[in-house]
Amino acid sequence: MADFLPKVLIFTAHMLCFASAATDPGDLSILRDFHDGLANPDLLKWPANDADPCGNRWNYIFCSGNRVTQIEVQKLGLRGNLTRKLNGLTQLTHLGLQNNEFAGPLPSLSGLSSLQYAYLDYNRFDSIPGDVFVGLDSLLILALDGNSLNGSGGWMFPDDLRNSAQLMNLTCNSCNLAGPLPDYVGSMASLQVLLLSNNMLSGEIPASFGGSGLQMLWLNDQKGGGMSGGIDLVVSMVSLTSLWLHGNSFSGKIPANIGDLVSLKDLNLNGNKLVGLVPDSLTSMTLASLDLNNNYFMGPMPKFKAAKSTCASNPFCLPTPGLSCSLEVMALIEFLDGMDYPARLVSSWQGNDPCSTLWLGLSCDTNGKVSAINLPSKNLTGNLSPSVANLNSLSRVQLQSNYLSGAIPSNWTSLQSLTYLDLSNNNISYPLPKFSSSVKLVLNGNPLLLGNQTATPLSPAGTPSSSSGGDLSGSRSSSPTGNNSKRPKLVWLAIVAPATCLVVLLCLVIPLYFYCIKKKNTSPAPSSLVVYPRDPSDSDNVVKIAVASNAQGSTSMNGSGSGSWNSSGFGNESRVIEAGNLIISVQVLRNVTKNFAPQNELGRGGFGVVYKGELDDGTKIAVKRMEAGVISNKALDEFQAEIAVLSKVRHRHLVSLLGYSIEGYERILVYEYMPKGALSKHLFHWKSLNFEPLTWKRRLNIALDVARGMEYLHSLAHRSFIHRDLKSSNILLADNYRAKVSDFGLVKLAPDGENSVVTRLAGTFGYLAPEYAVTGKITTKADVFSFGVVLMELLTGLMALDEERPEESQYLVGYFWNIKSDREKLMAAIDPVLDREDETFESISVIAELAGHCTTREPSQRPDMSHVVNVLAPLVEKWRPFDDDTEEYSGIDYSMPLNQMVKDWQEAEGEDASFMDLEDSKGSIPARPTGFAESFTSSDAR
Ligand SMILES: *[C@@H]1O[C@H](CO)[C@@H](O)[C@H](O)[C@H]1NC(C)=O
Ligand SMILES: *[C@@H]1O[C@H](CO)[C@@H](O)[C@H](O)[C@H]1NC(C)=O
Ligand SMILES: *[C@@H]1O[C@H](CO)[C@@H](O)[C@H](O)[C@H]1NC(C)=O
Ligand SMILES: *[C@@H]1O[C@H](CO)[C@@H](O)[C@H](O)[C@H]1NC(C)=O
Ligand SMILES: *[C@@H]1O[C@H](CO)[C@@H](O)[C@H](O)[C@H]1NC(C)=O
């Protein structure tokens, strides 16, 4: 008995001890829930009949006393939902759930005031309970990476997290964060690591990040355009070792004192919109890794001290590190610097010679020196740079109607060749330097100079404060006078028509009259019709079209900045097309053609591939992407000048050129879209394409349409256009089978003497006038010849040249000449799909005769196109009673978005629309069809 007692005591003590070590029943129940919520709980190997995880040391569970403090189940492959009651483990300090397949909502951590380490990363959590981060007073590490939280809408750190003042690491790469970063994140005093790559963040880096103690900041690769704004404040984060900002839309310059970041080892700025010169302080940093690819850095390509560095795809002046740029280029870059690097100019001013390729707004003299800066109404802001004084040959500077401020640099007076300086309608201030008397200075419309200026009335449209000057983003309706810019309906022509003798006179007078009326009604001028105080020699006196800005689409940034990025340099500005300089960004055209997708291909021609493009509202356009090399860089100036003119050739039966792009090697023309495609398809391939064959009536209509279009081209006021490549594949059909001629002027644009062009001419040999083929001498009569061949094709359904045919009929013209005077043979040669009643035969023989006439060997014996129209018109009349022929001439409203403009053209289909506004025509009448006196002939009148 004596030794029994101690044994009992020991036993009891043991029992007591055991009881006190037994796991807290609340914690136990949560662990059970945790276990039971899993689809594969066996992986935990927790004993089924044990009630003491703390005492018996369950796998992955750590305790302090009888309370669970750590769950460390990382990388076990656990699947299923997590118990919602996890925050009942109130003593929890470590939660390691990373790299499993937990699904459903994140567990609420609310109230876990001891929790220091929360690794929830790389699971399949998909939503966030509202209170998840409440009361995490001790939190040091929060890792949420790789959970696609809250679907497409994304989420943002709730305000509650602000109270986790100890937080050192906050990582949420690829976790679906969206929207701007909250301010408080920047002011969390303990935060050292903030990794938020691959999310959908937007907005600027909050000012609160200035001076923060962050060591690692990753904000790279944000989807949907990404973060924006400047990066100046990063230089105040002096503890930074790793800064990843690639794949965003950060803009502005690299701060000059970036070298102050002495701890920085790793800097990635790839794929942003950063501009300017690369600062020397960055060049000399001894970084481990530096990536500046895909920005808009200019000037000399730097030679970096960094161990690994790359700076490709930037518009450096030369492709070799360490070489300086030419003096002119440096002067121009500093000029851009003063104006904060306008995107349009940055993307155009590339290379080391402003005179070798086309630099927007610059002209050069014959010595290859910059002679003019011509950038009116370009929404330019900032100051004028003294560096311009280094452009020795500069004679004209036209920067009117911008938002430029500050004084004119005093050393501009040293420009010896300067004769003209127009800074009207800006915000220039004193002091005014004294220019020599040979300089014509235009300064009206600068409010700060008003006190001293002789009062010059402001032009109605020129004031920068109105939306007319340069801000093209404003929609038409936002302008109080927007409605006045409706295109003028000039019904009067129909009335004047029969009075043939008076026509010319009237046509000269009436437009002027209408212009005056219109001007009265629309003072001040409609928002986008630019009516500057006009210098007649101003070649940039253009009419502007703001293209729907939604046509641009967004750019995605996937991967580490290696993905696509916006190379257009246009940022988020609305696109600007200028008639006379109708530039559309390639990026816009990529977007509307789904990146030139093969399924959008409409056809291939001598000059390239044509794609269908669809604007956001469904409006269709045709996008012709020229083959590389068709237009060499050398020929670019001429090309642009020619395009500027062609873009103004408007006629119901000519396919309208709506704009063009030149970027790098891209040469792209944008046309109105013709739904039924080329005539050749309907004549020669209708069977395989499952088209209905063209009736005779339709063919006659097409012939007349083409003749009218060609007549118009040939009889333009100030220059005669010769098509040079008229053929049935260049005749396009609208939905109602009415025809328009396309590709006029293109052959001329391609430089002579290049083999490719010769081949192309040979390719259309079947249509070539003999004198053109032999001597290369071209007159309008060469087009008449080609037209004759098209008539033969319409008659016979045979291609102009077809080596598959028997020898004697391979060359359609030769064959046709042999048979045309023999009624039997002719009828036998007529396209078998046409019915050959007597009535048809009558017009068939007229057309056959006309075709012969057009293709006579001697050019002078071929008729003019106006004669052709006169022959064809009565034939068509017979088949087509007066119906859709309300004569109405319409101008074009350049203030409209592209899609609207296209629509208006389409609307005008039932009307005869011809319009021409060449710059060298009648003085300063804006947007008036001055050419139509000439295009108006008796044959147009009915
Ligand atoms: C997990 O949670 C989701 C909703 O959050 C629910 O739809 C699903 O049924 C749950 N799965 C299990 C196994 O309980
Ligand atoms: C905090 O983040 C850094 C950088 O990723 C990492 O090296 C460090 O281990 C993290 N600290 C903890 C405790 O996870
Ligand atoms: C004009 O001023 C700038 C800046 O002060 C200077 O770099 C430049 O050499 C000057 N040019 C001339 C021609 O005086
Ligand atoms: C007029 O110009 C002179 C210098 O040309 C300047 O000193 C003066 O302040 C100007 N007056 C006003 C009202 O701005
Ligand atoms: C014009 O400049 C202003 C000021 O820089 C800017 O806010 C606006 O977006 C610009 N508009 C266009 C069309 O570039």
Side-chain angles (χ1 to χ4, degrees), residues 81 84 104-105:
N81 288 357
R84 305 257 174 119

Side-chain angles (χ1 to χ4, degrees), residues 430-432 434 448-452:
Y430 290 111
L432 283 183
K434 280 230 175 340
L448 297 177
L449 300 180
L450 261 181
N452 280 350

Side-chain angles (χ1 to χ4, degrees), residues 168-470:
M168 288 164 56
N169 282 20
L170 176 54
T171 68
C172 203
N173 297 312
S174 306
C175 73
N176 235 9
L177 288 175
L181 265 179
D183 269 339
Y184 74 81
V185 177
S187 35
M188 296 183 88
S190 307
L191 202 59
Q192 295 173 358
V193 174
L194 179 61
L195 310 184
L196 307 177
S197 307
N198 281 304
N199 283 295
M200 305 182 286
L201 295 175
S202 58
E204 307 195 356
I205 302 177
S208 57
F209 279 72
S212 96
L214 281 172
Q215 295 167 9
M216 297 181 71
L217 176 58
W218 290 2
L219 298 172
N220 54 293
D221 296 302
Q222 303 300 329
K223 291 178 217 62
M227 299 185 71
S228 54
I231 60 168
D232 283 352
L233 60 72
V234 301
V235 291
S236 63
M237 302 185 214
V238 290
S239 309
L240 279 176
T241 59
S242 175
L243 178 60
W244 286 7
L245 300 178
H246 46 288
N248 279 292
S249 299
F250 289 114
S251 56
K253 295 192 276 183
I254 297 180
N257 53 341
I258 188 145
D260 295 357
L261 297 177
V262 290
S263 306
L264 195 62
K265 288 284 159 242
D266 182 6
L267 175 61
N268 194 334
L269 300 174
N270 189 339
N272 279 289
K273 296 175 178 170
L274 298 168
V275 295
L277 304 173
V278 175
D280 291 341
S281 75
L282 177 57
T283 314
S284 53
M285 283 175 93
T286 49
L287 300 167
S289 167
L290 171 64
D291 187 341
L292 300 182
N293 294 343
N294 298 313
N295 279 286
Y296 303 109
F297 297 121
M298 304 183 94
M301 181 184 275
K303 221 176 182 163
F304 294 104
K305 282 225 178 98
K308 247 177 61 189
S309 68
T310 161
C311 59
S313 293
N314 281 291
F316 294 121
C317 64
L318 289 166
T320 316
L323 291 189
S324 351
C325 307
S326 75
L327 217 61
E328 283 206 314
V329 166
M330 284 313 284
L332 287 165
I333 292 174
E334 280 174 50
F335 173 61
L336 292 183
D337 191 81
M339 303 184 302
D340 289 331
Y341 297 93
R344 294 169 66 193
L345 299 185
V346 170
S347 59
S348 163
W349 291 13
Q350 302 194 6
N352 198 28
D353 181 358
C355 298
S356 68
T357 57
L358 190 111
W359 285 30
L360 185 69
L362 297 187
S363 311
C364 295
D365 60 21
T366 49
N367 299 324
K369 293 280 170 201
V370 175
S371 61
I373 296 177
N374 193 8
L375 295 165
S377 301
K378 293 290 185 292
N379 206 14
L380 301 176
T381 57
N383 299 312
L384 299 168
S385 165
S387 69
V388 170
N390 297 348
L391 298 169
N392 302 322
S393 303
L394 199 59
S395 72
R396 296 177 69 84
V397 177
Q398 289 169 266
L399 294 168
Q400 64 270 27
S401 300
N402 283 298
Y403 303 82
L404 297 167
S405 52
I408 304 174
S410 58
N411 69 359
W412 282 28
T413 55
S414 66
L415 284 165
Q416 298 299 322
S417 314
L418 191 67
T419 56
Y420 190 83
L421 173 56
D422 190 346
L423 292 167
S424 55
N425 301 319
N426 278 291
N427 201 20
I428 300 297
S429 54
Y430 290 111
L432 283 183
K434 280 230 175 340
F435 285 91
S436 88
S437 59
S438 57
V439 180
K440 180 162 194 284
L441 207 53
V442 186
L443 289 171
N444 57 301
N446 284 290
L448 297 177
L449 300 180
L450 261 181
N452 280 350
Q453 277 305 117
T454 39
T456 322
L458 289 184
S459 90
T463 38
S465 54
S466 84
S467 62
S468 58

Side-chain angles (χ1 to χ4, degrees), residues 400-717:
Q400 64 270 27
S401 300
N402 283 298
Y403 303 82
L404 297 167
S405 52
I408 304 174
S410 58
N411 69 359
W412 282 28
T413 55
S414 66
L415 284 165
Q416 298 299 322
S417 314
L418 191 67
T419 56
Y420 190 83
L421 173 56
D422 190 346
L423 292 167
S424 55
N425 301 319
N426 278 291
N427 201 20
I428 300 297
S429 54
Y430 290 111
L432 283 183
K434 280 230 175 340
F435 285 91
S436 88
S437 59
S438 57
V439 180
K440 180 162 194 284
L441 207 53
V442 186
L443 289 171
N444 57 301
N446 284 290
L448 297 177
L449 300 180
L450 261 181
N452 280 350
Q453 277 305 117
T454 39
T456 322
L458 289 184
S459 90
T463 38
S465 54
S466 84
S467 62
S468 58
D471 187 352
L472 300 156
S473 62
S475 73
R476 232 155 55 81
S477 53
S478 74
S479 148
T481 55
N483 287 340
N484 292 332
S485 56
K486 277 241 166 356
R487 68 199 156 93
K489 306 225 168 191
L490 304 176
V491 192
W492 54 272
L493 262 180
I495 306 163
V496 182
T500 34
C501 281
L502 291 176
V503 159
V504 172
L505 186 62
L506 285 172
C507 287
L508 287 175
V509 173
I510 288 182
L512 271 169
Y513 168 74
F514 264 75
Y515 169 62
C516 296
I517 298 268
K518 192 164 164 257
K519 197 176 175 196
K520 235 182 225 164
N521 292 342
T522 61
S523 182
S527 64
S528 301
L529 219 74
V530 178
V531 195
Y532 306 113
R534 179 171 163 159
D535 171 7
S537 65
D538 179 1
S539 62
D540 198 70
N541 199 328
V542 294
V543 190
K544 299 197 156 74
I545 308 158
V547 181
S549 57
N550 54 9
Q552 64 191 323
S554 64
T555 340
S556 62
M557 311 273 180
N558 300 323
S560 295
S562 58
S564 66
W565 59 287
N566 187 343
S567 65
S568 71
F570 277 70
N572 288 329
E573 302 167 29
S574 76
R575 299 305 189 271
V576 176
I577 296 187
E578 298 169 354
N581 198 8
L582 284 92
I583 303 166
I584 305 179
S585 119
V586 173
Q587 190 60 37
V588 170
L589 299 179
R590 274 190 205 289
N591 287 334
V592 302
T593 58
K594 306 214 165 65
N595 206 8
F596 303 110
Q599 71 265 24
N600 277 23
E601 196 175 308
L602 291 173
R604 283 169 185 270
F607 299 98
V609 185
V610 185
Y611 298 88
K612 183 159 96 175
E614 192 160 342
L615 304 182
D616 276 2
D617 68 346
T619 312
K620 296 191 178 69
I621 55 176
V623 177
K624 174 170 241 155
R625 192 184 197 189
M626 313 279 264
E627 270 166 36
V630 166
I631 312 280
S632 67
N633 271 334
K634 267 197 223 119
L636 212 55
D637 264 338
E638 242 171 89
F639 174 76
Q640 282 199 311
E642 198 66 26
I643 292 290
V645 178
L646 291 179
S647 67
K648 291 175 185 168
V649 177
R650 306 275 175 192
H651 186 273
R652 183 188 179 187
H653 299 303
L654 298 176
V655 174
S656 293
L657 178 64
L658 299 172
Y660 71 96
S661 286
I662 296 178
E663 280 174 36
Y665 291 104
E666 294 280 16
R667 312 276 180 269
I668 303 176
L669 301 175
V670 179
Y671 291 99
E672 62 181 312
Y673 173 69
M674 299 290 289
K676 286 249 180 326
L679 170 63
S680 51
K681 289 188 189 173
H682 294 262
L683 282 179
F684 315 128
H685 311 294
W686 58 272
K687 269 191 200 141
S688 59
L689 292 168
N690 245 342
F691 292 164
E692 51 178 315
L694 292 172
T695 61
W696 182 238
K697 175 183 158 179
R698 281 192 173 145
R699 294 182 197 212
L700 278 179
N701 263 311
I702 290 166
L704 178 58
D705 291 346
V706 173
R708 287 217 163 109
M710 294 304 297
E711 179 196 23
Y712 180 75
L713 270 186
H714 286 176
S715 58
L716 286 178

